[in-house]
Amino acid sequence: MLKYTFDWSIVTSGKYFEWLVSGLKVTLELSVVGIVCAFILGLLIAVLKMSHYRPVRWIATAYLEFFRNTPLLVQIFFWYFGSYKVLPAAVNEWLNSTNFEFAAAAIALTIYTSAFIAEDIRSGILSIPKEQMEAARSAGFSYLRSMQYIILPQAVRITIPPLVNQFLNLAKNSSLAMSIGVMELTYQARQVESYTFKGFEAFTAATVVYLGLSVVITALMDLYNKKVLNPQRA
Amino acid sequence: MIKFEGVHKWFKKLHVLNGIDLHVKQGEVVVVCGPSGSGKSTLIRTINQLEPIEEGTLVVDGMDLRSKKTDLNKLRAEVGFVFQQFNLYPHLSVIDNITLAPIKIRKTSKKEAQEQAMELLERVGLAVKRDAYPTQLSGGQQQRVAIARALAMKPRIMLFDEPTSALDPEMIGEVLAVMQDLASTGMTMVCVTHEMGFAREVSDRVVFMDHGVILEEAQPEEFFRNPQHDRAKQFLKQLLSPMH
């Protein structure tokens, strides 16, 4: 028979509850920073990958293949344990004075996810009829301005569903940051478990919070799509 | 205003423009016609360099299009282009379609650009559609917005690439009326079209092309009454009575 006694109070109040809340804060910070930066970087890489200049395309392709095809955990370790060995002393000094664990995790998450986002946006761009680019160029817009004002706004609309997936992946993948000591939600749940041996409660709480976070991201994107991007359909 | 001299262009091995000489003067309305595949669309698309040329000289509004010093974006801002398929920006409302380029390229203030856009919309009879989106408009309405969008840049030349070919018959008239109105203001216009009524009444000159060559250039009356070239005779006969 089951000998385990559930004690949900540890995750709903008191010290351990506060640990989980502080973990959630860090997870939120990581997710927001990651989503914003990964989106911007992804846009940039998508445009570079479609450049007329072959070397630029090569660089973008190398970036995509490299970061899409290596494990995120390895990338996190690389930024955290590897990068400082080759950085100038002054940079390292500055990094140590900041929250380096957080920075390394944010950089890894951003770069890793931007590669996927770039591919999604690129397929969105390719789905826009080439006549739109012709119309923009005919009006006197440069290639980049045409992208900015005419092609990308349309491509991003089409890309929303796959983008939501990437944003959700990023939020969930932020749990890997615990491996370098970032005190985010999973790290804190693990701490609670170590102190209380209440692993079921601790990780159930973490699971519920991640689920809630995902639902919120999805709902926000849905709202953005309906209210901002497609006002004519509202 | 527009001067072609010995212009050649190839698509891979296909010789689409084969030694074009054409001179369009300021304020002139020139209609280019010819059977499909004759190179007439390519010809008009070279004028704003949507299609680059491989040989010859092409000077538009004083700018040599083959010179490295020519800023193509600047040239295109001076040349309005109207497409067969309208190509409005579907994510923008009618008014935003018209004001985007004046605001971003000409650096016109938003207020001024909107006032100008409303004047243009009045002119093409679509002021009530200012906040509509392109998908909510008929083909004829979209094309009139597209013309207003091109005019908003205050171009010195207007190019029309089969502007009525994608329209239902009852909508052709409304677009041609806008073009006729524009011609009466002294705009330099080059139109690729099969609308022979428009060619006859509005144009100053008709250019007939086939296989990348200009076969005939004449005043409209003369062209319709007494075409010189056999291909032109055949083309007109088919156009006027397609059943035979």
Side-chain angles (χ1 to χ4, degrees):
Chain A
M1 273 307 286
L2 193 67
K3 296 236 177 80
Y4 188 79
T5 0
F6 291 101
D7 180 6
W8 292 103
S9 67
I10 61 148
V11 293
T12 56
S13 60
K15 179 169 80 174
Y16 302 122
F17 171 73
E18 275 160 31
W19 286 7
L20 291 176
V21 170
S22 79
L24 171 62
K25 270 191 201 149
V26 177
T27 291
L28 277 176
E29 281 167 19
L30 258 185
S31 301
V32 171
V33 170
I35 284 173
V36 171
C37 297
F39 178 67
I40 294 168
L41 199 57
L43 264 182
L44 185 72
I45 302 293
V47 172
L48 293 183
K49 170 111 194 206
M50 304 189 73
S51 164
H52 298 300
Y53 302 103
R54 211 172 275 167
V56 175
R57 281 207 304 273
W58 284 341
I59 292 168
T61 305
Y63 179 99
L64 283 173
E65 297 308 333
F66 189 82
F67 290 110
R68 266 197 319 176
N69 295 318
T70 47
L72 176 56
L73 189 58
V74 173
Q75 291 185 31
I76 291 175
F77 284 161
F78 174 82
W79 293 109
Y80 186 62
F81 296 114
S83 67
Y84 76 92
K85 313 238 170 184
V86 292
L87 290 174
V91 177
N92 278 328
E93 221 165 278
W94 177 76
L95 282 174
N96 282 328
S97 70
T98 62
N99 186 344
F100 183 45
E101 291 83 14
F102 183 89
I107 290 170
L109 277 168
T110 295
I111 290 181
Y112 177 78
T113 313
S114 72
F116 292 91
I117 288 179
E119 279 298 74
D120 288 339
I121 291 177
R122 194 171 71 95
S123 55
I125 292 172
L126 289 175
S127 72
I128 306 298
K130 71 174 192 335
E131 286 79 10
Q132 285 291 311
M133 181 54 99
E134 284 190 346
R137 298 306 301 271
S138 297
F141 287 109
S142 67
Y143 174 78
L144 285 179
R145 293 278 171 252
S146 303
M147 277 286 176
Q148 181 185 356
Y149 297 125
I150 288 116
I151 307 300
L152 287 178
Q154 295 181 55
V156 168
R157 279 168 176 72
I158 294 173
T159 314
I160 293 256
L163 271 185
V164 173
N165 280 337
Q166 300 307 343
F167 291 172
L168 293 178
N169 280 340
L170 188 143
K172 291 179 291 177
N173 285 341
S174 71
S175 59
L176 287 175
M178 74 166 289
S179 59
I180 54 170
V182 177
M183 294 158 82
E184 47 69 67
L185 183 59
T186 308
Y187 180 97
Q188 296 290 13
R190 182 89 179 80
Q191 288 285 95
V192 172
E193 192 271 338
S194 313
Y195 277 72
T196 62
F197 300 106
K198 295 290 180 191
F200 189 90
E201 290 86 338
F203 286 106
T204 301
T207 303
V208 170
V209 173
Y210 278 117
L211 195 61
L213 180 61
S214 296
V215 169
V216 168
I217 291 175
T218 309
L220 283 178
M221 291 295 285
D222 208 34
L223 199 69
Y224 180 67
N225 192 21
K226 281 205 184 102
K227 295 279 167 192
V228 183
L229 293 183
N230 290 315
Q232 75 269 42
R233 285 192 213 148
Chain B
M1 204 68 173
I2 305 169
K3 199 166 196 175
F4 287 80
E5 270 170 8
V7 169
H8 288 262
K9 175 171 181 67
W10 287 264
F11 284 133
K12 301 268 164 61
K13 282 192 178 149
L14 188 67
H15 202 162
V16 277
L17 295 181
N18 186 356
I20 298 289
D21 293 298
L22 180 66
H23 188 187
V24 179
K25 293 191 272 301
Q26 182 156 6
E28 212 180 0
V29 178
V30 172
V31 161
V32 182
C33 62
S36 70
S38 60
K40 55 193 191 304
S41 275
T42 309
L43 176 85
I44 199 171
R45 286 162 63 89
T46 61
I47 299 174
N48 75 347
Q49 288 290 283
L50 280 179
E51 302 289 354
I53 60 169
E54 273 98 36
E55 246 181 74
T57 36
L58 176 49
V59 180
V60 178
D61 196 17
M63 289 182 254
D64 179 356
L65 299 197
R66 294 193 71 197
S67 155
K68 288 235 156 61
K69 281 183 224 147
T70 297
D71 180 348
L72 284 183
N73 296 328
K74 205 169 156 244
L75 165 86
R76 288 174 178 143
E78 304 299 330
V79 179
F81 200 100
V82 176
F83 297 86
Q84 183 177 354
Q85 298 292 344
F86 337 127
N87 301 342
L88 293 178
Y89 310 133
H91 61 301
L92 299 177
S93 64
V94 164
I95 188 97
D96 290 341
N97 260 278
I98 299 174
T99 57
L100 183 68
I103 291 173
K104 301 296 182 190
I105 296 172
R106 294 267 193 250
K107 310 290 178 201
T108 314
S109 74
K110 191 173 176 189
K111 187 168 166 285
E112 201 186 328
Q114 287 189 336
E115 282 167 12
Q116 284 168 8
M118 283 316 292
E119 276 169 33
L120 287 167
L121 279 175
E122 296 276 0
R123 201 161 136 197
V124 300
L126 288 171
V128 290
K129 297 291 184 186
R130 60 164 286 164
D131 295 316
Y133 281 82
T135 49
Q136 298 166 325
L137 303 179
S138 71
Q141 290 172 333
Q142 288 192 52
Q143 193 61 298
R144 284 186 281 156
V145 171
I147 294 172
R149 176 177 70 176
L151 290 175
M153 288 295 279
K154 303 201 168 83
R156 293 168 51 75
I157 299 169
M158 282 287 284
L159 307 174
F160 294 85
D161 187 7
E162 304 208 29
T164 57
S165 300
L167 298 177
D168 290 339
E170 70 267 29
M171 290 169 185
I172 291 174
E174 64 192 51
V175 171
L176 291 179
V178 168
M179 290 168 64
Q180 183 162 16
D181 171 58
L182 188 60
S184 71
T185 66
M187 176 67 79
T188 307
M189 291 165 66
V190 179
C191 316
V192 172
T193 183
H194 291 146
E195 293 300 326
M196 291 301 126
F198 177 82
R200 192 187 281 258
E201 280 162 40
V202 181
S203 78
D204 299 307
R205 193 150 42 118
V206 177
V207 171
F208 178 77
M209 280 182 79
D210 197 18
H211 293 110
V213 180
I214 292 180
L215 292 180
E216 196 159 338
E217 248 188 279
Q219 308 268 314
E221 275 310 315
E222 206 178 301
F223 176 74
F224 289 111
R225 198 159 4 113
N226 187 19
Q228 299 299 306
H229 205 279
D230 281 348
R231 289 289 296 143
K233 283 178 194 165
Q234 208 183 343
F235 175 75
L236 281 175
K237 204 171 136 200
Q238 275 173 352
L239 210 61
L240 297 175
S241 51
M243 301 291 280
H244 301 99

